[in-house]
């Protein structure tokens, strides 16, 4: 079996070989990750309720799950203040902050091309 055939077979069974950024996409672009990171980057350190209020449509259960995953991934820092009543704050980590240029590029792309995407969708839907 040649090298190319071996790579093709491996790529078919290991998605990361077919698309080397798939692991990053799974981490950064899951349903609620981007709004959480964007909000923490834009507004700084926040308590759970503040973050929930700013995002708006996220449920407390999902926010808790996503924050735990983001903390596990090193993108968010959770700070527990042992006072009465206890206080917990979340902030974007340096690793999370390093995603800012990526988000800026995506925001620029969005501003430049979302109208084209909408036109393509309209054109496609009207042909069906």
């Amino acid at each position: 079996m040649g090298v190319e055939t071996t790579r093709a077979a491996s790529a078919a069974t290991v998605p990361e070989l077919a698309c080397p950024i798939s692991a990053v996409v799974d981490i950064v672009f899951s349903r609620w990750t981007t709004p959480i990171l964007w909000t923490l980057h834009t507004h700084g350190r926040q308590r759970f309720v503040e973050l929930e209020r700013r995002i708006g449509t996220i449920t407390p259960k999902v926010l808790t799950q996503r924050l735990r995953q983001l903390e596990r991934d090193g993108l968010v820092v959770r700070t527990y203040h042992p006072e009465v009543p206890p206080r917990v704050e979340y902030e974007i980590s340096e690793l999370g902050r390093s995603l800012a240029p990526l988000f800026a590029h995506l925001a620029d792309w969005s501003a430049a091309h979302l109208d084209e995407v909408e036109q393509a969708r309209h054109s496609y839907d009207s042909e069906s």
Side-chain angles (χ1 to χ4, degrees), residues 3-128:
V3 174
E4 290 303 315
T5 306
T6 304
R7 278 193 200 136
S10 295
T13 59
V14 183
E16 290 78 17
L17 293 177
C19 179
I21 66 166
S22 63
V24 174
V25 170
D26 288 345
I27 292 168
V28 177
F29 297 108
S30 64
R31 173 69 176 102
W32 292 105
T33 298
T34 307
I36 292 168
L37 292 176
W38 187 278
T39 302
L40 290 173
H41 180 74
T42 303
H43 300 284
R45 182 182 304 163
Q46 296 175 63
R47 295 176 77 168
F48 184 90
V49 174
E50 295 170 313
L51 192 54
E52 182 182 24
R53 192 176 319 122
R54 283 204 166 101
I55 294 173
T57 54
I58 193 169
T59 65
K61 178 184 176 184
V62 171
L63 181 56
T64 298
Q65 290 171 342
R66 292 310 311 148
L67 284 169
R68 284 184 183 150
Q69 185 63 50
L70 289 168
E71 183 181 7
R72 181 175 181 259
D73 291 341
L75 301 175
V76 167
V77 176
R78 178 183 182 269
T79 305
Y80 174 80
H81 300 278
E83 45 193 50
V84 180
R87 182 170 46 104
V88 176
E89 295 176 319
Y90 297 91
E91 63 185 310
I92 193 167
S93 69
E94 284 300 316
L95 181 60
R97 206 171 279 113
S98 71
L99 292 167
L102 173 64
F103 289 148
H105 284 299
L106 289 171
D108 291 345
W109 187 93
S110 175
H113 298 289
L114 274 186
D115 287 342
E116 293 173 60
V117 171
E118 199 55 45
Q119 289 172 2
R121 288 176 179 168
H122 178 72
S123 176
Y124 181 90
D125 291 346
S126 65
E127 290 175 7
S128 297

